[in-house]
Amino acid sequence: TNIYGNQLTVVKSGDLRTSHSSAAYYGEVKSYVGWPRVLSGATNQKLYASWWFKPSQLANNGGSNKFIRVWDRSDGTATRISLTQMHMTYSGTSGNSHTSWGTTQPDANRWNRFEFYVDSGSNSITATLNGKVVQNVNDFRKSNTSEGLSVAQIGFDPSEGNRYPN
């Protein structure tokens, strides 16, 4: 366990979303998949991520509960983007953090599809949940660093984990 929780584990039985699925990631409370090796050393200025998420309860029991974090430096000292159940925060060139308020509430006990797209060339970030745009900003500025955008964490990271028992 680290400050972001436990890494997700692979399960090959149970509720795998469809009959064609052979495995899924599973986690309880604070669980995540972090920094993909394939993006280490990359210089990409765009990032698209799509994933399915089935929470056992709503993510509205308090705190700022992250679903995805996008950074360009693995230590988090440059570009930082976080999508939570109540807002999206983002910072880059100026170091100042911006907040875009809006509800991102996946349904409990149901598979929900997230999509997240960052394009530093057009200064935009778009997040969708089950096909509906939940965040759309056009004032994002990536940090002035050659490191490309990467998923720092994807999963569920509640700031008050004791409110989410499973």
Side-chain angles (χ1 to χ4, degrees):
T1 301
N2 65 34
I3 63 171
Y4 302 116
N6 297 309
Q7 289 197 355
L8 297 172
T9 58
V10 176
V11 295
K12 296 187 177 193
S13 63
D15 185 359
L16 301 179
R17 197 176 65 78
T18 74
S19 60
H20 302 290
S21 300
S22 60
Y25 284 105
Y26 175 80
E28 291 184 3
V29 189
K30 292 176 70 107
S31 302
Y32 73 98
V33 173
W35 209 264
R37 285 187 209 127
V38 70
L39 293 175
S40 291
T43 60
N44 57 300
Q45 302 298 297
K46 297 179 183 181
L47 178 76
Y48 173 79
S50 175
W51 69 102
W52 290 91
F53 178 61
K54 183 181 179 184
S56 60
Q57 66 188 76
L58 292 176
N60 62 354
N61 285 346
S64 174
N65 307 309
K66 290 107 185 132
F67 301 114
I68 187 170
R69 294 175 190 255
V70 173
W71 297 349
D72 49 17
R73 288 191 175 153
S74 61
D75 63 4
T77 60
T79 300
R80 294 178 63 98
I81 305 167
S82 293
L83 178 66
T84 77
Q85 90 289 359
M86 64 183 179
H87 56 40
M88 181 173 63
T89 58
Y90 52 103
S91 62
T93 302
S94 66
N96 295 329
S97 182
H98 301 274
T99 302
S100 174
W101 294 94
T103 302
T104 304
Q105 186 60 252
D107 296 327
N109 300 307
R110 180 178 161 238
W111 286 103
N112 297 269
R113 183 172 184 206
F114 279 94
E115 292 180 275
F116 199 76
Y117 181 64
V118 183
D119 183 344
S120 61
S122 66
N123 304 317
S124 64
I125 306 170
T126 303
T128 65
L129 175 61
N130 298 322
K132 178 185 172 199
V133 174
V134 292
Q135 291 288 345
N136 190 28
V137 300
N138 294 300
D139 62 348
F140 165 69
R141 302 287 186 272
K142 184 186 175 305
S143 292
N144 189 17
T145 178
S146 62
E147 286 103 335
L149 297 166
S150 187
V151 174
Q153 173 212 348
I154 194 167
F156 186 61
D157 178 16
S159 60
E160 299 177 21
N162 59 334
R163 295 180 181 223
Y164 299 91
N166 59 20

